[in-house]
Amino acid sequence: MTQTSADICIIGAGSSGIAVAKALHDKGLAFEICEKGSDIGGMWRYGNDNGLSCAYRSLHIDTSRENLGYSDFPIAADKPDFLSHQDLLAYLEAYADRFNARSSIRFNCEVTAVAKERLGWRVTTMQDGVEDTRHYGAVIVANGHLWDPRWPSFPGTFSGTTIHSSQYRTAQPFDDKKVLVVGIGNSAVDIAVDLCRRASHVTLSTRTGAHIMPKYLMGIPVDRWSAFLTRQLRLPTQVARRIMARLIYLAVGNQTRFGVPKPKHPMWREHATLSQELLPYAGHGWVSFRPNIETLDGDAVVFTDGRREPFDAIIYATGYKTSFPFLAPEIFAVPENGGMVELYRRIAPPNQPGLFFAGLVQPIGPTIPLVEIQARWIAAVLSGRVTLPDVAEMALEVRSFHQQQLHTWLPSPRYTLEVDFKDYAAELNGDIASAARGRSAAAK
């Protein structure tokens, strides 16, 4: 076992890992980062040699510039409203360099096992073909959850090209082909829009439909309207989203005119799909919509409405499994059926002291600023500034949050990691502020 002066191991050097590194550095804590690839950036490094990036060439982030960045490192005002993956990667690199995160990273270092010991954790890695084992007091998992494709299962076989959206890079291989995209989330719609300029036709297959939200409302990024309602007017998120639904209806009208199935549920119960171009392209006849697949039938697909149509290719934009190959399931696992996730404050497993997860959330609101708050919370715990409750109290909080999720979001695995930015950030910041008040009172 290699000796190391670092007592904390961070797994992953993407946007979550470097945020945690900065927060730990601010508290004077010694740490190492294990990064499977040869550079930072995670999924935002197009063609990342760690093999875990699902970025495609036309990818732009759905959070606007003013809401996107780390609080102490704002994104330059001359950048576009919605950053491309190249823009965001450059920003992450500048952030890492500004706070000297690279010096603590072991590149080309894949974590193969994380095992619990009597005191702390044993981390086994493979770096440049050499296996190594080190002991740490704490491990922070920050390797992302959008890399392990979830493939659907349909009866029959399809004779054309079949890929998952994680494998999609450019539209060029689909020139003049008839393509079926399965799903109607952000990736499905982005890919459909990218494809329809070059494919002969694109069809979207959806089980439930989705509320399509434009990226701009009256020339202003739509998330800035949401932020105004929740932060400036201090409206509850559900109320703000009901207002947004009315405003969006005024802006784009009834989406069923374009063939997009209207969901039976209200917009506030789902993670709305953002696209400025889908409805106009549907209006031009470049994109059409079908219900769920009934069977695959050679060079064709039979849909649940009975229609049979030929296709050259199918792209499954059906999401991702949340998996951690280096962790035994008895230590931690996210249930595939949308069940309860055993994480106190969506970060710490109650029965696994010293193990933390950063970025394992799907927020209504921006992700990077939320992970930055998670990072400060983790640093406060590891530096002794925030004391965790006992196991029973943490487990009670986990169950309470899960019941709230079931009441708020749709009963689907897609919403297993869903959190509301405003409420969740308030919880974490409240823990940190309460601990600071306690220290101040004790010092008097």
Side-chain angles (χ1 to χ4, degrees):
M1 180 179 291
T2 301
Q3 298 298 315
T4 174
S5 59
D7 192 47
I8 303 167
C9 176
I10 302 171
I11 302 175
S15 59
S16 297
I18 60 175
V20 172
K22 195 267 179 180
L24 297 181
H25 180 267
D26 286 348
K27 291 291 185 288
L29 299 171
F31 61 89
E32 290 181 334
I33 306 176
C34 296
E35 167 54 46
K36 184 178 179 182
S38 60
D39 212 333
I40 71 162
M43 70 162 286
W44 296 105
R45 180 168 292 280
Y46 180 64
N48 197 330
D49 60 6
N50 68 6
L52 304 179
S53 175
C54 59
Y56 38 94
R57 191 171 64 184
S58 64
L59 178 64
H60 283 69
I61 197 162
D62 290 327
T63 302
S64 68
R65 181 190 68 245
E66 292 191 9
N67 292 321
L68 175 63
Y70 302 105
S71 64
D72 52 3
F73 196 74
I75 298 172
D78 62 352
K79 296 299 180 183
D81 287 335
F82 295 96
L83 273 62
S84 68
H85 61 81
Q86 298 101 322
D87 291 328
L88 185 52
L89 177 61
Y91 171 72
L92 296 176
E93 289 176 326
Y95 178 85
D97 292 339
R98 168 67 176 80
F99 299 108
N100 195 31
R102 291 180 189 271
S103 61
S104 301
I105 303 175
R106 297 167 61 199
F107 287 113
N108 300 307
C109 179
E110 179 182 4
V111 174
T112 57
V114 175
K116 194 174 183 179
E117 296 187 313
R118 189 176 66 84
L119 294 174
W121 296 85
R122 184 176 68 255
V123 177
T124 303
T125 60
M126 184 68 69
Q127 185 174 21
D128 298 324
V130 178
E131 186 175 86
D132 185 27
T133 301
R134 302 186 182 190
H135 173 86
Y136 301 93
V139 172
I140 303 164
V141 180
N143 67 323
H145 56 93
L146 300 176
W147 62 270
D148 189 2
R150 178 185 288 116
W151 291 83
S153 177
F154 295 112
T157 57
F158 179 68
S159 59
T161 301
T162 302
I163 67 169
H164 189 272
S165 59
S166 61
Q167 300 166 295
Y168 179 83
R169 295 296 177 264
T170 71
Q172 184 272 330
F174 304 94
D175 280 358
D176 302 318
K177 296 184 184 296
K178 197 173 180 187
V179 184
L180 176 66
V181 179
V182 180
I184 199 168
N186 287 320
S187 293
V189 167
D190 274 358
I191 290 171
V193 165
D194 194 39
L195 281 170
C196 73
R197 301 182 182 99
R198 301 184 62 155
S200 65
H201 189 75
V202 176
T203 300
L204 274 166
S205 168
T206 169
R207 290 179 300 172
T208 60
H211 294 281
I212 308 300
M213 182 185 294
K215 284 190 170 183
Y216 287 94
L217 195 58
M218 290 179 273
I220 297 173
V222 71
D223 63 346
R224 287 173 57 185
W225 288 102
S226 299
F228 172 77
L229 294 172
T230 56
R231 299 177 197 174
Q232 302 300 317
L233 299 186
R234 299 181 182 277
L235 297 177
T237 300
Q238 285 191 18
V239 173
R241 299 198 80 207
R242 290 174 193 269
I243 293 173
M244 289 300 301
R246 296 300 181 100
L247 291 175
I248 289 163
Y249 186 87
L250 290 174
V252 303
N254 186 345
Q255 67 181 32
T256 59
R257 283 194 65 252
F258 302 89
V260 185
K262 183 179 179 180
K264 296 178 181 179
H265 54 270
M267 191 181 79
W268 61 265
R269 292 208 71 196
E270 73 163 15
H271 206 115
T273 298
L274 268 69
S275 178
Q276 193 70 22
E277 300 165 295
L278 179 67
L279 298 184
Y281 282 160
H284 284 79
W286 291 3
V287 180
S288 58
F289 301 88
R290 295 289 182 267
N292 198 26
I293 295 173
E294 181 74 35
T295 59
L296 304 174
D297 188 18
D299 65 349
V301 172
V302 180
F303 298 99
T304 54
D305 62 359
R307 278 186 282 195
R308 180 184 184 276
E309 295 184 33
F311 291 96
D312 298 302
I314 300 176
I315 300 175
Y316 290 108
T318 46
Y320 296 85
K321 296 180 288 185
T322 306
S323 56
F324 305 95
F326 47 80
L327 281 174
E330 59 269 22
I331 293 178
F332 178 78
V334 173
E336 268 297 296
N337 61 359
M340 186 167 65
V341 181
E342 299 279 353
L343 288 177
Y344 174 71
R345 292 289 196 253
R346 275 37 73 212
I347 296 173
N351 292 304
Q352 306 294 349
L355 182 63
F356 302 87
F357 291 80
L360 194 55
V361 289
Q362 181 75 29
I364 293 295
T367 300
I368 286 177
L370 194 60
V371 175
E372 181 186 13
I373 299 171
Q374 284 188 320
R376 291 202 298 265
W377 188 91
I378 293 169
V381 171
L382 291 175
S383 63
R385 289 166 170 79
V386 168
T387 302
L388 295 179
D390 61 32
V391 171
E393 188 175 341
M394 286 194 283
L396 181 64
E397 189 266 359
V398 170
R399 290 193 296 272
S400 175
F401 177 77
H402 180 62
Q403 291 303 312
Q404 180 185 347
Q405 272 190 315
L406 294 176
H407 176 73
T408 305
W409 308 109
L410 296 176
S412 165
R414 183 183 181 191
Y415 298 97
T416 299
L417 303 176
E418 202 76 20
V419 296
D420 174 79
F421 182 101
K422 180 182 176 182
D423 294 342
Y424 182 45
E427 286 180 337
L428 298 181
N429 284 327
D431 290 344
I432 296 170
S434 178
R437 287 193 298 270
R439 292 194 307 275
S440 177
K444 292 181 180 179

